[in-house]
Amino acid sequence: MQVPKGILGVVMHTMVGNLPGTIATFNNPQREASAHFGIDQNGHIHQFGPVNGWKAFAQVAGNSNYYSIEHADNANPDNPLTDAQMTASAQVVEALAVHGRFPLREANHVGEEGYGVHFMDGQGWGGHTCPDVPPRRVRSQQRAEILRRALAIRQGGHPVVPKTPSTVLTDGSMPLAALAARHDTAPATVLRATAEAAPNGEYVHALATYISTVFATDTVDMPDGITLHYQEKGPDGHWHNLSWQTGAAKHPEDPEPLNTLAAHLGTDSESIVRLTAEKNSTGKFSTRGFDYINGVFTRSQALLPTGLTLHLNGRN
């Protein structure tokens, strides 16, 4: 690379994985793969090589003219960059722009100066869809916010992070995990906050169906020690609040996936989720329950229905 004479800009990439695996891959000379920087979900920046002439194996024909930044995505390019990743990326992009003397603007075609994406030259750059999957293009559309923060840094300030809204209206374009990540929260937090804000603490029908559908397709066992709450209709015709602890000795038949347990108890997954958040003494999910629910929705690619109002803020 000829710095700054031959530098046109920097290219956004996605790891389709996480930083430790990417480091291992780039440290394997047989792979002939590398980038200048890698950024994980917490904003940790890893520099793989120098920026004063080292050419990374990142975008084939574009290697000589563009720097490259890989972004961790937990093996799912539909996961939006986290807030910490965007700020870290803004810091790197701004510094590279000074060093390489290119403008802080988007580049969408080969030969343009600015912040480009791997897919912008098709076969010439390896035929990749990186950094995201069409037609949704979640990550590449975040360049505008990254550049806004980079400009704020250049002007001598700190990147101002937009205030997270309290609610979001779904458009049917992404799963719950991706929507939660976009707003720097977690699926379990969204479910708890939405139930808390709803009349009688009940999900609207479309959301309840979505939740139960996601759990119905997940086969991962629940960890022991989660206290779940559910309702059962008694002989007197009234509904009674009951609890179930996973892995308890008194439950030798303990069904492990939540959907299986719900069927065993004569209820459904979504009602267990909302009642568990409501009835727990702290008013939120336990740590194990929180992690389990997040895992279920992270594994699911089922898209949220259109037109749901979800609440984003909460104690979890």
Side-chain angles (χ1 to χ4, degrees):
M1 303 181 78
Q2 298 179 30
V3 185
K5 182 179 178 181
I7 301 300
L8 296 176
V10 58
V11 173
M12 174 188 278
H13 294 261
T14 197
M15 293 181 186
V16 195
N18 292 312
L19 186 56
T22 299
I23 292 173
T25 297
F26 287 178
N27 281 339
N28 181 354
Q30 296 180 347
R31 296 297 297 271
E32 292 190 343
S34 56
H36 289 92
F37 293 89
I39 302 175
D40 72 10
Q41 293 89 338
N42 295 319
H44 173 78
I45 301 168
H46 185 94
Q47 185 169 352
F48 292 99
V51 296
N52 59 352
W54 177 67
K55 182 174 67 174
F57 291 97
Q59 54 269 335
V60 195
N63 290 339
S64 297
N65 301 110
Y66 292 90
Y67 293 118
S68 47
I69 306 174
E70 292 277 357
H71 299 81
D73 61 14
N74 200 30
N76 182 3
D78 284 335
N79 285 332
L81 298 174
T82 67
D83 177 73
Q85 274 181 305
M86 286 195 291
T87 295
S89 192
Q91 292 171 322
V92 174
V93 169
E94 194 278 331
L96 290 176
V98 171
H99 191 65
R101 299 184 186 176
F102 59 85
L104 288 174
R105 68 186 184 199
E106 288 189 20
N108 294 302
H109 302 282
V110 173
E112 286 186 349
E113 292 183 304
Y115 192 13
V117 286
H118 192 177
F119 66 76
M120 70 185 189
D121 191 29
Q123 292 302 319
W125 284 12
H128 292 265
T129 64
C130 171
D132 41 24
V133 180
R136 294 159 70 182
R137 294 296 187 199
V138 175
R139 294 189 152 214
S140 56
Q141 293 181 13
Q142 292 180 284
R143 284 180 296 159
E145 174 60 21
I146 291 170
L147 288 167
R148 187 189 69 79
R149 299 185 189 192
L151 184 60
I153 294 170
R154 176 164 295 184
Q155 292 172 342
H158 298 283
V160 178
V161 180
K163 183 179 180 181
T164 301
S166 59
T167 62
V168 64
L169 184 67
T170 61
D171 61 6
S173 68
M174 63 181 64
L176 177 58
L179 180 143
R182 170 172 287 185
H183 295 282
D184 198 26
T185 185
T189 300
V190 173
L191 295 178
R192 191 210 53 73
T194 300
E196 185 178 71
N200 301 318
E202 296 183 357
Y203 299 123
V204 297
H205 178 72
L207 180 56
T209 300
Y210 172 77
I211 294 169
S212 289
T213 299
V214 170
F215 278 103
T217 58
D218 194 84
T219 58
V220 174
D221 291 350
M222 289 184 290
D224 293 344
I226 299 177
T227 300
L228 301 169
H229 296 268
Y230 67 102
Q231 288 184 325
E232 184 178 276
K233 197 170 187 178
D236 56 1
H238 296 292
W239 289 96
H240 299 274
N241 294 320
L242 302 172
S243 64
W244 181 287
Q245 186 174 44
T246 61
K250 65 179 181 179
H251 297 312
E253 76 285 14
D254 194 12
E256 292 299 336
L258 181 58
N259 182 61
T260 306
L261 175 61
H264 176 77
L265 298 175
T267 184
D268 50 38
S269 300
E270 64 87 13
S271 62
I272 292 179
V273 169
R274 61 181 174 81
L275 286 169
T276 297
E278 176 186 345
K279 301 299 181 181
N280 276 350
S281 59
T282 58
K284 61 181 182 179
F285 295 113
S286 66
T287 299
R288 290 182 179 180
F290 182 74
D291 291 342
Y292 170 71
I293 292 170
N294 289 334
V296 171
F297 285 93
T298 298
R299 290 186 289 272
S300 174
Q301 294 302 304
L303 302 181
L304 283 159
T306 302
L308 297 177
T309 299
L310 300 181
H311 291 255
L312 303 172
N313 303 325
R315 291 179 292 272
N316 273 114

